[in-house]
Amino acid sequence: MDTFSAILLSMLLPAAAVISNLIFRNNPNLRDGLTLGAAVATFLVVLNILNNVGNTTTDTFTLIEVMPGLGIAFHVEPLGLMFAILASGLWIVTHIYGIGYMRGNNEENHARFFACFSFAIFAVMGIAFAANMFTLFLFYEVLTLSTYPLVAHKGTLAAVKGARTYLGILIGTSIGLQLVAIIWTYAVAGTLDFTKGGVLEGMIAGPAVAILLALYAFGIGKAALMPFHRWLPAAMVAPTPVSALLHAVAVVKAGVFTMLKVGIYIFGIDFLATTGASIWLMWLAAFSIIASSVIALTKDNLKARLAYSTISQLSYITLGIALATSMGILGGSLHVVMHAMGKITLFMCAGSIYVATHKTDISQMTGLGRIMPITFGAFLIGALSIIGLPPLGGSWSKWLLIIGAADASQLVMVGILLISSLLNVAYLLPLVGKGFFLKGHDQTEQPNVAESPLLVWAPPAFTALGCIVLFFYAGHIQAFLMPIVAAP
Amino acid sequence: MATQTVHHAAMTLTEHLPILQVLIPFITAPLIVFVGRRELAWPLAFIASFTSFVIACLLLSKVIGGGVISYKIGGWAPPLGIEYRVDAANAFVLFLVTGISTLVLPYARESVSSEMPERTQTLFYALFLLCLTGLLGVTTTADAFNVFVFLEISSLSTYVLIAQGSYRDKRALTAAFNYLIMGTIGATFFVIGLGFLYMATGTLNMADLADRLSGQYDSRTVRAGFAFILVGMGLKVAIFPLHLWLPNAYTYAPSAVTTFLAATATKVAIYVLLRFIFSVFQPEFLLETSALEIIFYPFALLAMFAASFTAIFQRDLKRMLAYSSIAQIGYMLLGVALLSETGLMAAIIHLFNHGITKAALFMGVGAYVLRSGGSFYIHLQGLGKTMPWTSAATVIGGISLIGVPGTAGFLSKWLLVQAALEQGYWPLAILIVASSLLAVIYVWRLIEILYLSTPTSEKVVQEAPLSMLLPLWLMAIACIYFGFETDITMGAAKAAAQALLSGSSGMMN
Amino acid sequence: MNIFATEFILGHLNYWLFIILMMTGLYIVISKGNLVKKIVGLNIFQTSVFMFYISMGKVSGGTAPIFPLDGVYDPSIAYSNPLPHVLILTAIVVGIATTSLGLALIIRIREEYHSIEEEHITILEDTVFQTENLPLDGKGGSI
């Protein structure tokens, strides 16, 4: 199978899953089985691409030429491939989890839910393999629109309001700022192709660089850079599988992935470093990291706390780009994987607790650890990975980011990364402590509380193991990503 | 001998294409009345419209490369005789107008028979064709006074068509009456303007006018003429402060009529405006009179924001879409005001893309009116479940209206922002995207009502009939298709922009 | 150019008349609430334009543009320009059509509203409009 057909196939399979979900909407087992098949097949196709291409950058395949020099085009490069593997692999896990969650929780409209879910994966694949900013933007918007029904899924007034915030901020920033940035780039550089070393060098100078970067940084609302972060907590009204895959992995990672792409292939690291246009972004990211960690501390709702934690962790990646050093970029890219694995574990655990006990607030979860040891064990591992303790994957990306900050002689940033780790400890570990060591106060009221169903507790346990495995394979991923920072 | 004759006849027919596509609906209209049978009215109208569409496609394929077809009526050479000229700009508009009319007619069948009594249905199709004739004539002719004549043919039939909505809501009558008053004032202003130009030049052929006007841009007569023409056509276009007739006319007209008018009538008027600004007058004239700063920019921006804001607060989908149309006209005007090839391309391509987008949306409205009895939001609650096909197509139209990437509406906004940035007007670029965010609000409101609210009445609502769904879906697919496949739209818009910008030299060759 | 000079005023007499008629017509259209009077105003307004065109075709000292019966054309005779007259024939036809359509609409309006006074009609329409546009109930519709 040649690479181009493989790319198309990796997008067609989720698209086919959308259709099969709509056709077989009244036959749950067949419907969910077919989607699972599509998820596994997508993952295999992406692995096949990895096998054929490795970490080289392939030629660009233009599907449709929309305007002169501007078309729907795809290629494979290490960063995108990594993102595709991550999303398609975790899709399998989340789908299994989603089946268990939706059935265990008696949610409605399963077919619409899974159809939109698959549609979102389709968009993510398009983002991962996009060869130019135009294609990426197209799929970026498809992702926004396809996840909107998922956020509004419950149809309650709260869900509708949350979905409104979600859509308002994401569409608002992308059309209001990002689109202007893209067209501006096109107007000055004449191209939007992702090119090593960037396309803007020599085309634009002075304060315009910083303004353009600002349009991108705020325009990519999915990266949840403050002050455009409100959509992420708002999206927590969605069912937990959505929060797990989309708002811990696919959507937010699509955001920072776009940031990485823009930083590496549109601006170019060297161009950013020499112009110093990203200094302000670095400070803003640092502020985002600390501020959202502090807000997370104040949240009692578990999912809201995790959402603010995500905002903070996303800013790590933005910080990596803003440092404009090779190590910073590498650390940021690696953090995409590490944080995804850790955060999806935490969200699935939150969902697992909800399925078993219908509890959403941390203060009510005392003593649950003894009843649900696997869920709370997985939560502990995920939390430690987010904090960045060995032997868990998250430690490597933080390590690289700190080196990156030191490389850029930004010692303040080193300090911020360390303080933030402490804050992570403060907002993540209390739940584990309460769960395992405090005695529950209302167990008498709910004597039938037990560990959640197999389909709900197994996926987080699996991804928790993944966090450990990633610790030992981080070197491979780093080596795999090396070409993106190598000199063009 | 026989084959030669056939060959000769065929050749003659091809030569006569520019007049034929105006004549066919023109002759079929009285024919429908004379035949007088209701069951024959629709097929005749459809055949006429479809034939015109085929001819428009043939014409477009001939001129899209940049050629010009000149046709002398009755063999009288211009400037004395009336000339029909087809170049990329008007061939593209012809393509839009005939294409929409050919799709609206199958759609109209069900909608008309539910919204009008039987006795007026035959006449309805005759009037529809007359309106089409007028629009096609305005677009094809190169004679300035002929523009007025065809404009009145289309306007008079439009007034009657709007008044047909009175069987559903009597306010259609006052809407039609008000439009009649304003439309007539507009048309008369246009004639006054032509009179001034005629006084200054002694000719009415557009090319000839352009030639003779080029030396006397500072003449007060010429300037007064331009002002009258601008205001007169501005009324037909519904440029912002002259838009007052539009919301009521669109709201109370029968659904099929609204669809047709929204997609074509204002678009043709914009074409005429473009023709006068760029071919009869030259862009330099605009710069010299600073019409851009005083009229185009402020009113275009006002339309984009004021009308969009008004649209947000409507509770009737049809009226909301009418206000959104006024806002979208602002975009086109802005493209014109930028006075560059990209800007003009943006205006022309938005003219087309907005035509198909609004056609899809108003077709959706018609289906809702047919099945749930009204177009108020309260009638639409929860229809996403009971009318899934209609709602899905309407939503596609809605996202094309916003300009989400992958839809036709995106391309025109892209070009418009690009045109603004090319000139260095970056605040303008921001304003353009900001106003499309207003579109997000009113479109999303519709989506929430369709999909996320529960119906208030217990009435069981059925899906719309196939004869309405098919045209609706064709339009919705067109909204997506023209978002990717741009050879036709971009090619034609580029050729059209170049044809218009080459001004009188383009007219004279 | 002194616009108060007698010469100027008299020399442009046809334009003065045209403007006075035009403004009279427009004023009636705008100020009168009676729909029939509006149509009358519209007619006066249109007629002013007819006069404008017809006077425009006049060539001083020119005679009626009729081709001599004997076919001998004398270049010393000046003819008025017939083209604007012909044009205005078309415009008159359009004007008649508009008037008749307007009157027909007024008849239908009277049938439905039992009035041809704009203020009565507006009151009737406003009451309907207000009842139609009551806010939706709290179920999702409100913004």
Side-chain angles (χ1 to χ4, degrees):
Chain A
M1 186 160 47
D2 70 300
T3 317
F4 187 43
S5 349
I7 295 176
L8 281 188
L9 195 60
S10 74
M11 293 165 62
L12 283 178
L13 282 166
V18 176
I19 296 164
S20 81
N21 267 309
L22 292 177
I23 294 175
F24 301 113
R25 58 177 171 274
N26 295 325
N27 188 344
N29 290 337
L30 178 63
R31 183 192 67 207
D32 294 343
L34 281 175
T35 312
L36 184 62
V40 173
T42 312
F43 186 53
L44 290 178
V45 168
V46 177
L47 285 184
N48 175 286
I49 299 175
L50 172 70
N51 195 28
N52 289 344
V53 178
N55 64 353
T56 55
T57 300
T58 62
D59 293 337
T60 300
F61 305 94
T62 305
L63 196 63
I64 307 165
E65 178 102 9
V66 176
M67 274 187 260
L70 211 65
I72 309 294
F74 301 103
H75 72 178
V76 181
E77 49 86 45
L79 197 60
L81 188 53
M82 180 196 81
F83 185 43
I85 296 172
L86 183 72
S88 59
L90 290 178
W91 184 26
I92 306 176
V93 181
T94 325
H95 184 64
I96 297 171
Y97 176 78
I99 298 171
Y101 181 90
M102 296 297 278
R103 294 186 185 183
N105 234 353
N106 296 324
E107 297 265 353
E108 287 176 353
N109 294 323
H110 287 212
R112 184 178 84 188
F113 179 83
F114 286 115
C116 290
F117 213 103
S118 309
F119 203 42
I121 299 294
F122 159 78
V124 169
M125 289 297 146
I127 290 174
F129 292 123
N132 57 41
M133 200 59 211
F134 182 75
T135 315
L136 199 154
F137 184 65
L138 173 74
F139 286 101
Y140 182 96
E141 293 296 42
V142 173
L143 184 59
T144 309
L145 294 181
S146 61
T147 46
Y148 167 81
L150 294 172
V151 177
H153 184 80
K154 282 178 185 159
T156 56
L157 199 60
V160 171
K161 281 207 170 130
R164 217 180 261 165
T165 314
Y166 178 75
L167 190 91
I169 292 181
L170 288 187
I171 289 264
T173 52
S174 65
I175 290 185
L177 303 169
Q178 193 187 349
L179 182 60
V180 178
I182 292 172
I183 301 177
W184 189 0
T185 310
Y186 182 65
V188 294
T191 178
L192 288 174
D193 294 345
F194 290 132
T195 318
K196 250 182 207 161
V199 294
L200 284 172
E201 191 153 12
M203 304 290 185
I204 184 172
V209 187
I211 296 173
L212 184 58
L213 184 68
L215 283 176
Y216 273 117
F218 293 121
I220 303 169
K222 291 198 169 90
L225 192 64
M226 278 185 174
F228 293 110
H229 65 285
R230 288 274 321 142
W231 65 269
L232 193 51
M236 289 305 137
V237 295
T240 311
V242 176
S243 310
L245 181 61
L246 297 174
H247 301 123
V249 181
V251 174
V252 291
K253 290 304 169 342
V256 285
F257 174 76
T258 311
M259 291 281 266
L260 281 166
K261 282 275 207 181
V262 168
I264 300 170
Y265 296 115
I266 296 288
F267 282 89
I269 313 165
D270 295 338
F271 183 56
L272 279 183
T274 46
T275 52
S278 60
I279 302 289
W280 67 268
L281 182 60
M282 185 181 77
W283 286 103
L284 184 66
F287 171 77
S288 248
I289 292 173
I290 299 296
S292 48
S293 297
V294 172
I295 298 173
L297 272 176
T298 65
K299 296 285 170 188
D300 189 36
N301 183 305
L302 179 55
K303 276 176 83 178
R305 185 175 286 198
L306 292 179
Y308 275 99
S309 155
T310 303
I311 298 170
S312 149
Q313 300 286 323
L314 290 174
S315 293
Y316 278 46
I317 300 163
T318 311
L319 177 66
I321 302 160
L323 286 171
T325 58
S326 305
M327 278 300 152
I329 295 277
L330 271 182
S333 311
L334 201 60
H335 200 60
V336 171
V337 181
M338 301 307 179
H339 173 247
M341 199 58 95
K343 199 42 80 56
I344 198 170
T345 309
L346 297 185
F347 269 113
M348 288 198 287
C349 291
S352 172
I353 297 169
Y354 180 72
V355 171
T357 65
H358 281 269
K359 282 178 183 162
T360 53
D361 291 343
I362 295 167
S363 51
Q364 298 177 339
M365 293 179 185
T366 48
L368 285 178
R370 301 183 204 179
I371 306 163
M372 310 174 63
I374 304 176
T375 302
F376 273 73
F379 192 94
L380 175 64
I381 295 174
L384 291 178
S385 179
I386 298 286
I387 294 163
L389 289 179
L392 294 158
S395 55
W396 285 117
S397 48
K398 247 178 209 180
W399 173 246
L400 284 179
L401 279 170
I402 290 174
I403 295 181
D407 270 359
S409 339
Q410 298 287 357
L411 292 182
V412 184
M413 293 301 141
V414 177
I416 283 178
L417 287 168
L418 293 175
I419 294 172
S420 136
S421 291
L422 289 178
L423 285 168
N424 289 345
V425 174
Y427 65 71
L428 285 175
L429 288 187
L431 172 64
V432 185
K434 277 181 191 167
F436 278 122
F437 302 118
L438 290 185
K439 208 172 169 66
H441 45 71
D442 60 348
Q443 278 165 38
T444 45
E445 293 164 33
Q446 286 175 302
N448 55 349
V449 168
E451 183 64 272
S452 51
L454 170 77
L455 284 184
V456 177
W457 64 253
F462 179 78
T463 49
L465 282 179
C467 292
I468 301 172
V469 173
L470 278 177
F471 177 77
F472 298 102
Y473 283 89
H476 289 94
I477 301 175
Q478 195 189 338
F480 178 79
L481 288 174
M482 273 320 273
I484 63 170
V485 290
Chain B
M1 184 66 200
T3 49
Q4 211 178 348
T5 328
V6 170
H7 179 72
H8 179 71
M11 216 190 76
T12 331
L13 263 184
T14 355
E15 276 175 5
H16 289 294
L17 286 183
I19 183 86
L20 269 180
Q21 54 122 20
V22 182
L23 270 187
I24 288 172
F26 186 56
I27 293 174
T28 318
L31 188 69
I32 287 175
V33 180
F34 287 136
V35 171
R37 294 182 46 168
R38 199 162 51 86
E39 58 272 27
L40 280 180
W42 183 82
L44 279 172
F46 182 73
I47 290 167
S49 165
F50 185 72
T51 318
S52 288
F53 177 59
V54 172
I55 295 174
C57 290
L58 287 173
L59 289 173
L60 180 63
S61 70
K62 277 187 187 174
V63 296
I64 198 168
V68 174
I69 300 172
S70 169
Y71 179 84
K72 301 163 189 65
I73 292 197
W76 294 87
L80 280 178
I82 293 174
E83 184 198 13
Y84 278 18
R85 285 177 76 91
V86 180
D87 62 9
N90 54 10
F92 190 45
V93 179
L94 291 176
F95 174 70
L96 172 74
V97 172
T98 53
I100 299 274
S101 78
T102 310
L103 274 179
V104 165
L105 274 170
Y107 170 87
R109 212 173 169 176
E110 193 85 24
S111 164
V112 163
S113 61
S114 80
E115 291 179 20
M116 271 172 235
E118 279 185 9
R119 65 191 158 83
T120 60
Q121 287 175 19
T122 316
L123 293 172
F124 171 84
Y125 291 111
L127 277 166
F128 187 90
L129 283 187
L130 269 185
C131 184
L132 177 65
T133 308
L135 294 175
L136 294 179
V138 167
T139 316
T140 329
T141 187
D143 184 276
F145 199 80
N146 215 229
V147 170
F148 163 72
V149 175
F150 277 113
L151 192 71
E152 282 300 58
I153 292 181
S154 79
S155 300
L156 285 169
S157 39
T158 305
Y159 307 143
V160 185
L161 286 175
I162 291 173
Q164 296 306 302
S166 66
Y167 301 106
R168 219 170 60 78
D169 192 320
K170 63 182 176 184
R171 278 169 287 178
L173 294 170
T174 43
F177 186 80
N178 285 333
Y179 186 21
L180 179 134
I181 299 281
M182 293 201 213
T184 306
I185 292 176
T188 312
F189 266 47
F190 182 71
V191 177
I192 297 172
L194 288 186
F196 280 122
L197 295 193
Y198 183 76
M199 280 166 71
T201 60
T203 183
L204 285 167
N205 180 281
M206 288 184 189
D208 208 24
L209 265 175
D211 209 32
R212 297 191 194 191
L213 278 175
S214 56
Q216 36 182 334
Y217 286 151
D218 45 1
S219 145
R220 201 175 285 184
T221 316
V222 171
R223 289 189 172 194
F226 178 76
F228 272 110
I229 288 174
L230 191 64
V231 174
M233 266 300 144
L235 260 163
K236 287 282 167 191
V237 176
I239 292 178
F240 181 63
L242 305 172
H243 69 284
L244 292 170
W245 57 270
L246 191 142
N248 273 346
Y250 278 18
T251 309
Y252 300 121
S255 311
V257 175
T258 310
T259 312
F260 183 62
L261 289 184
T264 58
T266 48
K267 311 295 179 285
V268 167
I270 286 179
Y271 159 77
V272 175
L273 209 54
L274 285 176
R275 190 50 101 190
F276 269 87
I277 290 174
F278 289 100
S279 295
V280 175
F281 290 88
Q282 304 294 309
E284 300 90 69
F285 177 75
L286 284 187
L287 292 174
E288 216 174 284
T289 51
S290 55
L292 291 175
E293 294 87 44
I294 303 169
I295 300 169
F296 281 74
Y297 283 122
F299 287 141
L301 288 171
L302 259 176
M304 281 157 57
F305 283 93
S308 295
F309 267 117
T310 320
I312 291 173
F313 297 107
Q314 298 308 312
R315 297 186 187 282
D316 180 357
L317 177 58
K318 226 171 165 184
R319 189 177 282 276
M320 181 276 267
L321 291 174
Y323 278 108
S324 136
S325 275
I326 299 167
Q328 302 290 323
I329 286 160
Y331 288 108
M332 297 173 215
L333 210 60
L334 203 60
V336 176
L338 286 165
L339 274 189
S340 64
E341 193 180 310
T342 322
L344 205 50
M345 262 174 84
I348 294 168
I349 209 162
H350 195 53
L351 185 151
F352 181 86
N353 290 342
H354 179 245
I356 55 176
T357 304
K358 267 291 150 60
L361 283 165
F362 275 118
M363 281 181 174
V365 176
Y368 291 135
V369 170
L370 179 73
R371 286 305 191 215
S372 81
S375 56
F376 278 86
Y377 287 151
I378 202 152
H379 296 115
L380 306 182
Q381 288 184 333
L383 286 189
K385 280 207 182 69
T386 41
M387 299 175 72
W389 291 99
T390 311
S391 303
T394 312
V395 167
I396 294 177
I399 57 180
S400 176
L401 189 64
I402 299 174
V404 170
T407 58
F410 174 63
L411 283 181
S412 28
K413 288 207 179 133
W414 174 287
L415 274 177
L416 200 58
V417 173
Q418 196 187 328
L421 287 175
E422 267 174 14
Q423 311 252 355
Y425 297 159
W426 59 268
L428 204 59
I430 305 256
L431 286 176
I432 293 167
V433 290
S435 87
S436 31
L437 292 177
L438 294 177
V440 176
I441 300 178
Y442 56 71
V443 170
W444 225 266
R445 193 155 176 222
L446 170 67
I447 291 176
E448 280 182 3
I449 283 159
L450 284 177
Y451 287 97
L452 298 173
S453 56
T454 42
T456 39
S457 72
E458 296 299 309
K459 204 171 79 174
V460 182
V461 178
Q462 279 180 311
E463 180 56 276
L466 198 64
S467 68
M468 291 173 98
L469 277 182
L470 270 181
L472 169 61
W473 268 95
L474 272 173
M475 276 298 153
I477 291 168
C479 289
I480 304 274
Y481 178 78
F482 287 111
F484 290 106
E485 166 54 59
T486 52
D487 284 353
I488 302 174
T489 47
M490 281 293 211
K494 200 175 176 63
Q498 281 163 352
L500 285 170
L501 278 177
S502 58
S504 64
S505 57
M507 296 286 289
M508 291 306 282
N509 60 16
Chain C
M1 179 163 57
N2 179 8
I3 59 161
F4 296 107
T6 330
E7 202 179 321
F8 179 84
I9 293 172
L10 288 179
H12 294 81
L13 195 61
N14 56 332
Y15 299 120
W16 293 119
L17 289 176
F18 153 63
I19 290 170
I20 291 168
L21 260 184
M22 177 182 165
M23 288 305 144
T24 313
L26 269 183
Y27 177 77
I28 295 173
V29 173
I30 296 166
S31 65
K32 291 295 169 186
N34 186 307
L35 298 187
V36 175
K37 286 184 182 165
K38 273 183 190 288
I39 292 289
V40 171
L42 202 63
N43 264 306
I44 296 175
F45 171 56
Q46 282 183 312
T47 310
S48 76
V49 181
F50 304 158
M51 307 305 285
F52 166 60
Y53 263 77
I54 291 166
S55 63
M56 189 167 79
K58 170 74 178 168
V59 175
S60 48
T63 173
I66 301 169
F67 207 69
L69 269 181
D70 53 7
V72 183
Y73 172 63
D74 183 358
S76 66
I77 302 175
Y79 293 105
S80 288
N81 184 355
L83 188 70
H85 301 176
V86 177
L87 293 178
I88 230 57
L89 267 182
T90 321
I92 290 172
V93 173
V94 170
I96 291 171
T98 312
T99 308
S100 51
L101 178 58
L103 292 174
L105 276 173
I106 292 173
I107 292 174
R108 287 281 291 122
I109 289 175
R110 188 175 146 72
E111 282 172 10
E112 298 283 345
Y113 290 85
H114 308 292
S115 169
I116 55 167
E117 289 296 331
E118 203 173 30
E119 50 195 292
H120 297 160
I121 296 170
T122 318
I123 292 169
L124 281 173
E125 288 192 343
D126 279 353
T127 35
V128 182
F129 195 81
Q130 273 157 14
T131 50
E132 270 177 354
N133 285 277
L134 288 175
L136 299 179
D137 56 10
K139 289 179 195 162
S142 56
I143 215 159

